Amino acid sequence: MKVCEAVIDDIKQIARDTMQVNLKVEANVLQTIKPGQFVHIQVNNGTEHMLRRPISVANIDQERQLLTIVFKVFGQGTAKLAVYQAGQSINLLIPCGQGYPIEELQIKKALLIGGGIGVPPLYYLARQLAKKNIEVISLLGFQTKADVFYQQNFEAIGQCFVTTIDGSYGYKGVVTDVIKQENLLFDYYFSCGPTAMLRAVQAELTNYPGYISLEERMGCGIGACYACVVPSKDQATYKKICQDGPVFQANEVSI
Amino acid sequence: MSDLTVQLPGLDLKNPIMPASGCFSFGREYSKFYCLSQLGAIMIKAATADKRLGNATPRVAETHAGMLNAIGLQNPGVEAIIDHELPFLQTFDVPVIANVAGSTIEEYESVARALKRTEAISAIELNISCPNVKEGGVQFGTRPELAAEVTQRVKAASNVPVYVKLSPNVTDIVEIAQAVEQAGADGLTMINTLTGMKIDLKKRQPLLANQVGGLSGPAIKPVAIRMIYQVYQAVTIPIIGMGGITSTDDVIEFLLAGASAVAIGTANFKNPMICSEIIEQLPHALKKYHFASVKDAIGKGHGHG
């Protein structure tokens, strides 16, 4: 992990309140990043914003030395990040946390389940899985049509289902409705999204091994401040989301 | 090169900069960014007698020029800290200040007593001001007679100098400072966080799970400066100052107010290199304000040249 200044190559809106930023990052740093890891971003200089914002890695382009992040404008900090322009630089802690341990797993067919702003880290994961010739099925859930992004990206890799809660696009309902309706065959699942969705996914897929990625308000982002914790399954201890996670085995934590 | 050294009870500081308790864990994470031997000292995360899990999340919220936290003293317990955390810090050339917390005077005593078996600490920071736990801690910091009693008992139970960490959540901080000085405190650290709250507009409820949290960061710096300034005039024991420091100018301001050394907390989250950078820039800042040394600047904001 290191502190680095990254110049914005381009920044654009890709869905409602949803920004995609490509950042120029040194190749040797990019090489170390695993899918599921995040960068911890300074909002700006000065003292108004004292906390960084944790944002998942959505993609890496080694050749062009680009790191892609996607974030949703949620509060004052992300609103300021959204108005940055190409050519400006952002201060990053990179890379943070533990990613999806795909190198250690024997996977034939993976089910990726993303909800809202939980979708981006699954894209880099999907690409890395495809590179290893693992078949990928993606299941992306959004609130409404205006929120949908990255469908074509995932379709280029494998079968992709999109759901919206209001039915304005794709399946009407939530991701677990698709799991129930479609007879999906897979041996591992990987999920990232709101806690309510992760709980439903955990409950629906108890018989499958899986990994989930959690989010929480963070302080330091490196494991020193104990702000972002989640109880272990037995409730006897806490895991640090920024350092032990954000990716956990589905049965490792109590959400 | 200006002289950055400061000598305080139990602490031979090569410079006056140290990370504040609770913001630096036990040093491992920040040791990946710079060598901890650069630091004047390290104030480690609070220790209680037994392991504590702390509060539910969310535990932090950003506020203008600051943040609220309600971690709730999560720590593995003093014995685990001695066995598993302090040996790592002993590999660096840096004095360690152990933050001692508790719910009862007996717990404070037992933590202080437990720390006797390690050579790894140079001083104790007696935490009578954590606003984030329901029982204990903060009531000892808001009542002079209780503050004095816990200070006296911990002094008697420990074999290193005791610095008492004062709460700003009081009507008269001078009264508390004098009470703990009389009870035998070797120094003061101030200030702890100010109790605050943030309400989530969409959910219509306090954002932190603990409802209230401790406000830290640049937003509280003027409060810290004012309190240190007042206490400096009323006690003879040294003060380690903290509260919103982000720059060398801030460090000089704390020294002028009467702090002999300073701790940096929240700013570590924005810039993990902050302590190292401030140490590097401090000689230049001292020169800029015409001080030959750190010692030369201490208390010089009181109108005596």
Side-chain angles (χ1 to χ4, degrees), chain A residues 5-254:
Chain A
E5 286 287 331
V7 175
I8 296 172
D9 191 68
D10 73 280
I11 175 165
K12 65 176 180 188
Q13 188 173 350
I14 55 169
R16 182 177 64 165
D17 297 333
T18 310
M19 305 298 295
Q20 176 185 280
V21 187
N22 284 320
L23 296 159
K24 263 294 194 228
V25 175
E26 287 169 42
N28 58 352
V29 175
L30 291 181
Q31 273 159 17
T32 65
I33 299 175
K34 297 186 178 68
Q37 288 189 298
F38 67 96
V39 292
H40 209 29
I41 297 185
Q42 230 178 49
V43 174
N44 52 26
N45 292 326
T47 55
E48 190 190 349
H49 293 280
M50 292 303 293
L51 296 183
R52 290 169 178 261
R53 301 297 189 274
I55 300 177
S56 293
V57 172
N59 197 14
I60 285 172
D61 184 335
Q62 288 284 3
E63 227 165 82
R64 297 172 60 209
Q65 295 187 26
L66 291 179
L67 170 100
T68 306
I69 55 170
V70 174
F71 64 91
K72 190 143 192 165
V73 177
F74 205 74
Q76 292 175 14
T78 42
K80 283 184 184 152
L81 288 174
V83 296
Y84 270 91
Q85 306 282 317
Q88 289 184 289
S89 71
I90 301 186
N91 185 288
L92 311 172
L93 291 186
I94 178 171
C96 299
Q98 311 298 323
Y100 295 98
I102 56 172
E103 300 302 327
E104 298 153 30
L105 304 174
Q106 294 297 319
I107 314 168
K108 289 197 189 80
K109 202 165 174 180
L111 175 64
L112 274 45
I113 310 157
I117 205 61
V119 166
L122 298 180
Y123 180 54
Y124 183 46
L125 174 67
R127 285 182 34 124
Q128 295 298 100
L129 290 169
K131 223 186 204 178
K132 289 163 61 83
N133 294 316
I134 295 164
E135 203 179 322
V136 174
I137 310 170
S138 310
L139 191 42
L140 315 178
F142 298 93
Q143 289 286 331
T144 185
K145 188 181 176 184
D147 294 331
V148 177
F149 62 91
Y150 273 22
Q151 182 185 4
Q152 290 79 8
N153 298 29
F154 282 91
E155 279 173 349
I157 291 170
Q159 196 179 9
C160 175
F161 301 89
V162 174
T163 73
T164 53
I165 288 175
D166 65 3
S168 54
Y169 190 85
Y171 275 73
K172 180 176 168 39
V174 293
V175 288
T176 41
D177 295 335
V178 178
I179 297 172
K180 284 173 195 158
Q181 283 164 32
E182 302 286 330
N183 189 24
L184 302 174
L185 295 171
F186 58 92
D187 46 14
Y188 274 93
Y189 76 89
F190 302 88
S191 189
C192 184
T195 308
M197 183 201 90
L198 294 176
R199 270 193 212 115
V201 167
Q202 253 185 357
E204 189 63 35
L205 300 177
T206 43
N207 296 326
Y208 292 86
Y211 287 82
I212 57 174
S213 179
L214 306 180
E215 69 168 1
E216 182 55 79
R217 284 172 183 269
M218 287 185 185
C220 66
I222 61 173
C225 78
Y226 299 68
C228 60
V229 296
V230 60
S232 59
K233 198 71 191 173
D234 59 9
Q235 309 263 343
T237 181
Y238 273 120
K239 304 263 184 192
K240 296 177 194 168
I241 293 175
C242 68
Q243 191 182 40
D244 304 323
V247 173
F248 294 96
Q249 282 187 51
N251 59 8
E252 195 181 349
V253 288
S254 174

Side-chain angles (χ1 to χ4, degrees), chain A residues 1-3 40 42-53 74 76-77 91 93 216-220 222-230 235-238 240 243, chain B residues 22-26 29-30 32-33 45 51 53-67 71 74 200 202 207 217-218 246 266-267 269-273:
Chain A
M1 190 180 354
K2 59 183 280 188
V3 186
H40 209 29
Q42 230 178 49
V43 174
N44 52 26
N45 292 326
T47 55
E48 190 190 349
H49 293 280
M50 292 303 293
L51 296 183
R52 290 169 178 261
R53 301 297 189 274
F74 205 74
Q76 292 175 14
N91 185 288
L93 291 186
E216 182 55 79
R217 284 172 183 269
M218 287 185 185
C220 66
I222 61 173
C225 78
Y226 299 68
C228 60
V229 296
V230 60
Q235 309 263 343
T237 181
Y238 273 120
K240 296 177 194 168
Q243 191 182 40
Chain B
C23 301
F24 210 72
S25 191
F26 301 97
E29 295 77 15
Y30 287 94
K32 291 169 192 154
F33 292 94
K45 186 156 175 62
K51 169 181 166 175
L53 286 177
N55 297 322
T57 58
R59 290 176 167 188
V60 294
E62 192 182 66
T63 60
H64 283 284
M67 63 178 284
I71 308 298
Q74 181 179 346
D200 186 318
K202 287 175 192 152
L207 193 151
T246 63
T266 303
F269 303 160
K270 174 146 193 167
N271 174 10
M273 294 291 295

